[in-house]
Amino acid sequence: MTGPAIRIATEADLENIMVLEHECFATDAWSRENMHFEIMAHHTTYAVIYEDDKLIAYAGLSKVPGSEQSDIQTIAVSPAARGRRLGKALMVHLIGEARKQHATEMFLEVRADNPVAQSLYLGLGFEHIDTRKNYYQPDGIDAWVMRLHFAKASVGREPIVLGIESSCDETGVGIVRGNTLLANVISSSMDEHARFGGVVPEIAARAHLEALQPTLREALRVANLSLQDIDAIAVTNGPGLGGALMVGIGAAKALAVSLDKPIFAVNHLVGHVGVDILERGKLETPTIALLVSGGHTSLLLVRDLLNDVELLGETIDDAAGEAFDKVARVLGLKYPGGPEIDRAAATGDPKAIRFPRGLTQPKDMEKHRYDFSFSGLKTAVARWVEVAEAKG
Amino acid sequence: MNYTLSIDTSAGTSVSLHHNGRLVAEVEYLENMKHAERIGASIAEVLKGAGVEPKRISAVVVGRGPAPFTGLRIGIAAGMMFAEGSGAKLFGVVSLDAIAKAALEALAAQVSADRPLLVTADARRSEVYWALYSGLNEHGVPVRIDGPGVIKPAALEELLAARGIDPIRTQLPVAASQLTALFEAQLADGSASHDVTALYLREADATVPRDLREAGKKVSG
């Protein structure tokens, strides 16, 4: 079943709206002039539902730019169309609009003698916060003032997802609302690996267990949310270090069960590509992504981020960053090796030594068209150092 | 009305749910693998089996091992996060102590400081985890007189012989329901603990590479 088609009102809807306005509010209808002004104003959003070219419901939202408050100004459903949840559909739509416009709360007034509307709003998460005496004239009916805090409500807003990442030496907890990043807290065990010249899987896994609880709590604090606000859990299920991944997976599963929320497995590489959405809103597809880090050197063809990501090629031996670390070790530089080599190379002579580049032979183009290789380069550096040392 | 959820992954995957000390549901896989695959579904299964919502759990008890690495962490991580999400309090017990309690309840009369209970568990790499117990205290908490440690079986026998100890032995697998029994006794005793640190009893497998150890020497200018 699909919901009713809702669209934003234009000036052309004014006449139809006025007909319904008078039908629904016999004694206190707005004037045509007022309605015209409201529909056209920059700070309002009016939504309408038509059926067979006849307007059957409309509602108006007011949200002044810069303000965190929003107001439902009016809502009307044709008497003949009531009982079909059209009012709720309009409310959910306008709550979504208000959220998009960065409102954090919504207010409305409802007649004290309209329990049907009150229960609709209560069901959406509104609270009755005040009563205004004799607000509706000329009938002399009280108004309930109702308020909805968006962070606590579960309808009409973009989902809040908490992600747990533990594939290598960083324990990460991220929280997003739709495409908006709310928190990204990382605890790294990099220092513990430094004296070993690379990531030690068991040390990384132990560090994840210790970092889990504080990292989660910090992420919630930064996002100013509680776990009860979370709509879904996401977790990296690979690729990565097995023992490290399993800490995050066990944690995420238990968290999802405890909150009774869905859990989603995320491929770490696709997650890297997904970061682009947080930065630029929309990922243009198809796109090719190159991931380069201590653990990966991969080329991905992304036709659809959720359903269609193809691994075109990847390193057949060391990741680029791993090769940097190993070369740094051979040269007696610190871990992580990338920045150290970068620094040392800045003042070096690019033509001093001729090092090989992997997979550049014509025959490699057949079998490893989109692959990478760095171990030959690493070995060449090691041999060069050996020879240089032997010479003194 | 108190519900206690216990989780132990020091050997297999074992999850139990107790209501005021009475077992209402449990799931147990003896197989020493697939912990990450099973933990979530196992927790969900005991809750569903008992028709209990997560928020009604007041205590989560995890087995701290000792155990060899990977599996152990999964249960502790899951227990931690379940407590975060449900609002339950988080407790840890030594898994060997939980085995000891179950064994001592069956053998109490025969065990003493002179003839202690020896609990051992597979530590892989031709080693065992071990601990010695002289009996149960007045609240039913096992009194550990040595361990937990990790040792080669032959070395353990030498150690016992040298001390003139001929222990009563058990190597039963641990069950989550035994964690709860121990935890209840610890509550009565005042010794229940929020410490959920994993007991690996071995350093992480890592050696500083030779070229890194000698790095200072190698780079001279």
Side-chain angles (χ1 to χ4, degrees), chain B residues 23 73 103 117 135 138 165:
Chain B
L23 180 69
R73 277 191 284 267
L117 174 74
E138 72 273 24
I165 295 172

Side-chain angles (χ1 to χ4, degrees), chain B residues 148-205:
Chain B
V150 62
I151 195 168
K152 295 255 189 253
L156 177 60
E157 294 309 318
E158 279 174 30
L159 184 147
L160 293 169
R163 286 160 59 171
I165 295 172
D166 176 23
I168 294 174
R169 294 158 191 265
T170 183
Q171 45 188 355
L172 289 170
V174 64
S177 57
Q178 294 168 342
L179 304 189
T180 314
L182 173 59
F183 167 65
E184 300 273 347
Q186 287 177 335
L187 279 182
D189 187 39
S191 61
S193 166
H194 292 298
D195 185 357
V196 294
T197 319
L199 295 170
Y200 304 112
L201 306 187
R202 281 199 280 241
E203 289 300 310
D205 287 325

Side-chain angles (χ1 to χ4, degrees), chain A residues 53-126:
Chain A
D53 295 321
K54 186 179 185 314
L55 180 76
I56 55 171
Y58 67 88
L61 166 77
S62 164
K63 165 69 180 65
V64 177
S67 165
E68 296 202 332
Q69 298 182 350
S70 61
D71 293 276
I72 293 297
Q73 295 180 305
T74 183
I75 179 165
V77 177
S78 159
R82 286 180 193 165
R84 291 165 47 188
R85 298 173 179 270
L86 298 179
K88 182 176 179 182
L90 282 170
M91 284 300 298
V92 168
H93 187 85
L94 291 182
I95 288 169
E97 282 291 326
R99 283 182 178 282
K100 268 194 236 165
Q101 296 173 33
H102 308 291
T104 60
E105 51 186 356
M106 178 178 272
F107 294 86
L108 59 78
E109 290 102 28
V110 57
R111 286 171 71 108
D113 63 352
N114 188 349
V116 175
Q118 288 160 8
S119 78
L120 162 65
Y121 303 136
L122 289 169
L124 288 167
F126 281 85

Side-chain angles (χ1 to χ4, degrees), chain A residues 195-197 200 202-203 205-206 209 212-213 217 227-228 246-247 250-251 253-255 257-259 329 331-332 389, chain B residues 36-37 40 54 69-70 73-74 77-78 80-82 84-85 200 202-209 211-212 218-219:
Chain A
R195 70 194 175 99
F196 302 105
V200 180
E202 178 62 21
I203 291 177
R206 289 184 181 194
L209 184 62
L212 204 53
Q213 202 180 50
R217 289 182 177 177
L227 278 173
Q228 275 58 50
M246 280 188 252
V247 175
K253 284 183 174 178
L255 193 58
V257 173
S258 74
L259 298 171
R329 227 160 75 185
L331 298 174
E389 280 183 344
Chain B
E37 286 89 337
F69 314 161
T70 302
R73 277 191 284 267
I74 293 164
M80 258 181 197
M81 290 298 107
F82 189 91
E84 290 291 312
Y200 304 112
R202 281 199 280 241
E203 289 300 310
D205 287 325
T207 48
V208 177
D211 52 3
L212 199 72
K218 269 189 157 179
V219 182

